[in-house]
Amino acid sequence: MRDTSGTKTSNKRAASRFSRLSILVAVSASALLALVGPTHAAPAKDPLPADIPDYQAALNAVRSTDVRNAVCRFLRTPVPTGDTGKPVQTIPETAEPCQGLPVFTIKDPVARNEITPGFVAGTAKPLPAEAIKLTQLVSSLSATVNGRNATVMLAPNQGGGGWHLAAVRDGDSDAAYASKATVGTLVFTEPQIRGWYQLKLFTVEPLNDQAREGLGGRASVSLGDYQKLVKARYADKLPGSEYDATGYSSGYSLQRTKDDASSSALLLASGSGTALVLVGGAAVLYRRRRASTR
């Protein structure tokens, strides 16, 4: 009779290692998918964007005539020069703002994740679900129009599901970086310095120069070490702080960059019945107030 006790012991050890590995993978995946809560089905996307709730509503928004017209009005607007000495320029609404422009489509939106205030303050644990949150969706154009690209930004509706147009801005860097997310990873931004990072389980890696500077030149850090960095940078500058109260809450930069300067060309959308105005180098879409006859 052969002694099979050694083989049985080896098989048990292998099974135990496989079980622990399966649990680790499952826990890590759960942490990533728990970023914004339960998964929502999105029939028009493959793979399904599990991190985006009400995704069909987002698709409907970027494919709507209103959003397309807003993008066309933006693309017809001269690029702001930042010259505050010039008079305010009003761009009149037209019946067909896309007429005469090159053909383009708006790509399917992707998640724009940011670090959370609790993570910055140090009150949240260095876990994906507590460190990062979905704040907006971003879409770029399928082609440049008159040498320009644009980013469509959607914000969640307050008090209910769905998404609405929040802004249109020059360039497509936000959508380009956000699209780098892969299965098992998350991409997020540190908006104060316009840094973009990729989170692989609990390891943070930089995706652009601002992020590399934000990590002190390191190729990667743990999520816990990254929390220490952002806490040192911003914990005393959160809403309600003395920094905020004295009016310095509009931004933070390790070093002023060309990318920061170009981001001022922003079109804010506030719904239907709007007029486009250029003020101080920024393109802002103001809502017209209709006088009530009641």
Side-chain angles (χ1 to χ4, degrees):
M1 179 180 294
R2 290 188 303 167
D3 184 3
T4 60
S5 60
T7 301
K8 291 180 179 179
T9 301
S10 178
N11 289 342
K12 287 181 179 178
R13 288 176 179 171
S16 176
R17 285 196 298 270
F18 179 78
S19 177
R20 289 197 299 271
L21 179 60
S22 300
I23 292 173
L24 176 61
V25 171
V27 169
S28 300
S30 297
L32 291 174
L33 292 176
L35 178 64
V36 292
T39 299
H40 295 256
K45 188 87 168 174
D46 186 22
L48 299 181
D51 57 338
I52 302 177
D54 300 321
Y55 190 72
Q56 186 59 54
L59 287 175
N60 294 341
V62 298
R63 294 170 182 173
S64 69
T65 301
D66 286 345
V67 168
R68 183 176 180 81
N69 285 344
V71 173
C72 289
R73 291 190 182 97
F74 178 81
L75 293 172
R76 287 186 179 279
T77 306
V79 178
T81 62
D83 187 353
T84 57
K86 291 185 177 181
V88 173
Q89 180 182 0
T90 301
I91 308 300
E93 292 190 38
T94 58
E96 305 213 6
C98 298
Q99 186 174 7
L101 288 178
V103 176
F104 69 90
T105 59
I106 302 174
K107 295 180 182 179
D108 292 349
V110 292
R112 184 180 186 277
N113 301 304
E114 294 183 14
I115 50 178
T116 66
F119 180 73
V120 172
T123 57
K125 296 179 180 179
L127 298 172
E130 296 189 35
I132 301 166
K133 67 177 180 178
L134 173 66
T135 57
Q136 292 177 318
L137 303 182
V138 288
S139 305
S140 58
L141 308 185
S142 62
T144 58
V145 178
N146 296 337
R148 296 172 65 186
N149 209 320
T151 295
V152 176
M153 309 182 79
L154 302 180
N157 294 333
Q158 293 184 351
W163 299 84
H164 66 272
L165 179 63
V168 180
R169 66 190 300 170
D170 261 314
D172 61 354
S173 60
D174 279 16
Y177 285 119
S179 297
K180 292 182 180 293
T182 61
V183 176
T185 71
L186 286 170
V187 169
F188 66 94
T189 183
E190 184 183 331
Q192 295 86 349
I193 62 171
R194 293 188 63 77
W196 283 91
Y197 305 84
Q198 189 168 45
L199 178 63
K200 298 179 178 179
L201 295 181
F202 297 97
T203 300
V204 177
E205 298 179 358
L207 292 177
N208 64 357
D209 290 341
Q210 292 92 324
R212 277 183 281 275
E213 186 178 359
L215 297 186
R218 284 170 284 184
S220 66
V221 299
S222 69
L223 187 58
D225 285 343
Y226 176 67
Q227 183 177 33
K228 294 175 184 177
L229 291 172
V230 295
K231 182 179 179 181
R233 284 201 279 270
Y234 315 121
D236 61 344
K237 300 174 179 65
L238 292 170
S241 66
E242 182 179 354
Y243 182 87
D244 176 49
T246 52
Y248 292 103
S249 60
S250 60
Y252 178 96
S253 178
L254 296 175
Q255 185 175 350
R256 186 71 175 176
T257 65
K258 292 181 180 179
D259 193 29
D260 295 329
S262 65
S263 68
S264 64
L266 182 66
L267 173 72
L268 299 179
S270 56
S272 60
T274 53
L276 185 62
V277 180
L278 295 182
V279 184
V284 183
L285 193 63
Y286 290 98
R287 174 173 296 178
R288 286 185 183 146
R289 295 178 181 269
R290 290 189 175 89
S292 175
T293 56
R294 295 182 182 178

